[in-house]
């Protein structure tokens, strides 16, 4: 179980996964996902959606826990 963070720009979308079940938009991992998306896509103010308590084991998404370690 974990959470999926979906960050969207004009025509782009990146989905991140994390093992943390409860997140809010002002949590450090959400801010990191938004910043990562903005840097990769040049979108200054992307939108963000959080889906909590989701089975993330079989999903092939960007692992935000590993990305934040580096």
């Amino acid at each position: 179980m974990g959470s999926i963070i979906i960050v969207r720009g004009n025509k782009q979308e990146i989905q991140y996964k994390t093992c943390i079940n409860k997140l809010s938009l002002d949590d450090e991992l959400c801010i990191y996902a938004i910043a990562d998306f903005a840097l990769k896509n040049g979108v200054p103010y992307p939108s963000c959606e959080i889906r909590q308590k989701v089975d993330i084991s079989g999903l092939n998404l960007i692992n935000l826990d590993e990305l934040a370690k580096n």
Side-chain angles (χ1 to χ4, degrees):
M1 297 297 281
S3 296
I4 298 173
I5 302 169
I6 304 165
V7 185
R8 293 185 180 101
N10 295 335
K11 297 180 182 178
Q12 310 94 338
E13 174 181 297
I14 297 179
Q15 296 184 4
Y16 301 87
K17 65 180 179 179
T18 179
C19 63
I20 298 174
N21 283 321
K22 290 190 174 186
L23 289 172
S24 65
L25 289 176
D26 61 349
D27 283 334
E28 188 175 330
L29 281 176
C30 290
I31 294 169
Y32 191 84
I34 292 168
D36 181 66
F37 179 87
L39 283 174
K40 288 179 179 175
N41 295 298
V43 178
Y45 302 106
S47 64
C48 184
E49 175 186 342
I50 302 170
R51 295 186 184 157
Q52 300 181 34
K53 297 183 181 177
V54 178
D55 182 13
I56 61 169
S57 60
L59 298 176
N60 188 19
L61 305 176
I62 296 173
N63 189 336
L64 193 55
D65 299 324
E66 292 295 321
L67 190 63
K69 285 182 185 176
N70 299 329

